[in-house]
Amino acid sequence: MQSHSAVLYRVIRPKVPNAKKPRTMLKSAQNCITPPTTRVVTHPPPNTPPRTDRAPLQPREQASRVKSGRLRCQPSGRPRACLAFVRHVPGALIATIETMTQPSNPALHTSALTSLPLLARGKVRDNYAVVDDRSLMVASDRLSAFDVIMGEPIPGKGELLTQMALFWFDKLGHICPNHLTGDAPESVVKPEEVAQVRGRSMLVQRLKPIPVEAVVRGYLAGSGWKEYQESRSVCGVPLPEGLTNAAKLPEPIYTPAAKAAVGEHDENITFERTVEMIGLDLATRIRDLSIAIYKAAAEIALTKGMIIADTKFEFGLAPDGTLVLMDEVLTPDSSRYWPVEGYEAALAAGANPPSYDKQFVRDWLEQAKVNGKPWDKTAPAPRLPQEVIAKTAAKYREALERLTA
């Protein structure tokens, strides 16, 4: 995912005695969107042969090569400076640095594919039918908090979610099969629709979804902390006395939820209730798999300096009865990520640790008011300020960068 927020111009004058040092000028370009390959546009004076002088600008990162008048910016976990040199202009050479910090594609709140029939729109993903046995999952930039979809998209969020899910599917495939087909999403849509799916979509098996969200908690937070204060338990799982907000649990616990329709709140339920819904064998397999996946992921994340406080998984059944991990997995939308370095201080203060997930938005919504009254967590949601949108997008980006570094 590539982008830019500013273009830095430096004018390098010909070498002459007592010449002044090069001047540097910063031109804001925050609303400019460029493709991953950026053409260097030049206007040389008539009959002036092209020059290939390379004037060092000493960017923070190594410059990319310019080939055939094009600048190729290499993907990176952090914003990467890209350097280009243009043709001779009267009295100077002009070079540019483009710093990639914002999503390359416009924010996508809702996809609008016409080449495939729409199956359903979820809180974040739009699902389309591909023949009879596959589905195209398009991760939009919508944000859901307290089971309410925000009106404002988070630019680049869908791409980040998709890349993180693919990272985890690859790391955890030895524990449970997943729904990926390995086929390119761009191959099943019209050419003019490729921009809507590139980088934010997965082509997956069509499965029979199981109506249970498999929630695993390794730390006490969110609704779990609220329930613990009332009953010293979470979803029927008894917990020891003396735990505080953000405390690590003795062992990860399985606290399932019943999936709700879009716009409605998921309902926390007990394991016994899932047995009534889907049977003992399937309920047990989902519980055991979920805890095993969480433990493996938590160990990996910890090596990156990240704590996965809790997460939720979704499963489906293949035609042959195989239990398959589906939808998203371990993204900031389905998981609570905390940086290790801020955890101890927050725990001691009894506060929510800094997070890489949408907890930032949740915290803002908790104090938001509608018509002078606290928001009641039903649609429509309060309008998100631009500052909240920008900080949320930055947190999602930082989570992926840190995890994949």
Side-chain angles (χ1 to χ4, degrees):
M1 183 176 64
Q2 298 173 336
S3 54
H4 75 254
S5 63
V7 179
L8 181 66
Y9 293 93
R10 176 176 285 184
V11 178
I12 300 98
R13 301 183 182 282
K15 292 183 179 180
V16 294
N18 302 319
K20 293 182 179 180
K21 292 183 178 181
R23 295 181 296 146
T24 300
M25 298 172 288
L26 185 64
K27 177 182 177 183
S28 176
Q30 293 195 10
N31 295 324
C32 183
I33 302 297
T34 57
T37 301
T38 305
R39 183 178 296 279
V40 179
V41 182
T42 65
H43 300 282
N47 303 318
T48 301
R51 292 180 59 178
T52 57
D53 307 56
R54 294 196 170 190
L57 292 188
Q58 298 179 349
R60 291 182 181 178
E61 309 225 12
Q62 184 178 0
S64 299
R65 295 182 179 180
V66 179
K67 295 184 179 180
S68 304
R70 285 183 175 271
L71 168 66
R72 297 189 179 276
C73 301
Q74 301 300 320
S76 170
R78 294 179 296 181
R80 179 173 293 276
C82 300
L83 179 63
F85 298 86
V86 301
R87 299 173 187 273
H88 182 266
V89 296
L93 291 175
I94 296 179
T96 66
I97 297 176
E98 294 182 334
T99 305
M100 317 305 277
T101 57
Q102 297 296 327
S104 58
N105 295 319
L108 180 71
H109 187 277
T110 305
S111 64
L113 304 181
T114 60
S115 55
L116 298 172
L118 179 68
L119 288 173
R121 292 196 195 278
K123 295 169 186 172
V124 174
R125 286 164 180 76
D126 299 335
N127 296 323
Y128 294 86
V130 181
V131 195
D132 294 326
D133 60 346
R134 294 182 298 170
S135 298
L136 179 67
M137 294 178 55
V138 181
S140 73
D141 295 329
R142 295 192 295 271
L143 179 72
S144 168
F146 301 111
D147 296 312
V148 176
I149 297 173
M150 303 294 108
E152 297 74 37
I154 306 298
K157 174 175 172 284
E159 296 173 71
L160 291 164
L161 292 182
T162 300
Q163 297 308 309
M164 188 172 282
L166 292 174
F167 170 87
W168 283 117
F169 279 132
D170 178 64
K171 294 290 185 182
L172 303 170
H174 64 288
I175 300 176
C176 179
N178 61 62
H179 63 169
L180 297 177
T181 64
D183 299 326
E186 297 86 349
S187 66
V188 297
V189 298
K190 296 177 181 177
E192 59 269 26
E193 296 175 335
V194 167
Q196 292 188 61
V197 304
R198 180 185 289 123
R200 64 169 70 247
S201 304
M202 295 184 289
L203 196 55
V204 302
Q205 303 173 55
R206 188 91 60 85
L207 303 170
K208 179 182 178 182
I210 297 170
V212 172
E213 289 194 336
V215 180
V216 181
R217 303 173 189 267
Y219 294 74
L220 201 53
S223 63
W225 165 237
K226 291 182 179 179
E227 186 175 344
Y228 171 81
Q229 294 177 85
E230 298 171 357
S231 64
R232 296 299 183 265
S233 66
V234 179
C235 294
V237 179
L239 293 173
E241 291 281 348
L243 297 179
T244 59
N245 185 30
K248 184 176 181 180
L249 300 176
E251 283 292 328
I253 60 173
Y254 178 68
T255 60
K259 283 186 65 64
V262 175
E264 298 181 8
H265 297 289
D266 295 337
E267 177 190 359
N268 289 342
I269 57 177
T270 63
F271 173 72
E272 289 72 22
R273 175 66 182 127
T274 65
V275 171
E276 295 174 5
M277 294 170 61
I278 59 177
L280 177 61
D281 178 67
L282 190 55
T284 302
R285 289 163 59 198
I286 290 175
R287 179 195 62 191
D288 295 348
L289 269 176
S290 298
I291 292 175
I293 294 171
Y294 170 81
K295 285 183 174 180
E299 288 183 9
I300 294 172
L302 204 55
T303 66
K304 308 289 187 176
M306 301 171 73
I307 294 170
I308 303 177
D310 53 47
T311 190
K312 63 180 179 181
F313 304 112
E314 295 191 38
F315 294 88
L317 292 174
D320 63 359
T322 300
L323 186 62
V324 178
L325 184 62
M326 58 177 279
D327 201 54
E328 62 180 333
V329 58
L330 293 157
T331 71
D333 267 14
S334 65
S335 312
R336 204 182 307 263
Y337 281 92
W338 297 332
V340 169
E341 59 271 18
Y343 172 69
E344 291 296 339
L347 178 64
N352 291 329
S355 67
Y356 287 124
D357 50 57
K358 56 187 178 183
Q359 186 63 43
F360 181 81
V361 176
R362 292 192 194 100
D363 290 344
W364 182 85
L365 290 170
E366 287 281 12
Q367 55 81 44
K369 292 186 177 181
V370 177
N371 297 325
K373 298 180 180 179
W375 180 51
D376 61 2
K377 299 182 177 61
T378 61
R383 185 176 182 84
L384 297 179
Q386 187 58 42
E387 179 186 7
V388 173
I389 293 173
K391 287 186 176 180
T392 302
K395 286 179 178 292
Y396 276 73
R397 285 195 300 273
E398 187 179 351
L400 178 62
E401 291 162 5
R402 189 163 185 171
L403 187 63
T404 58

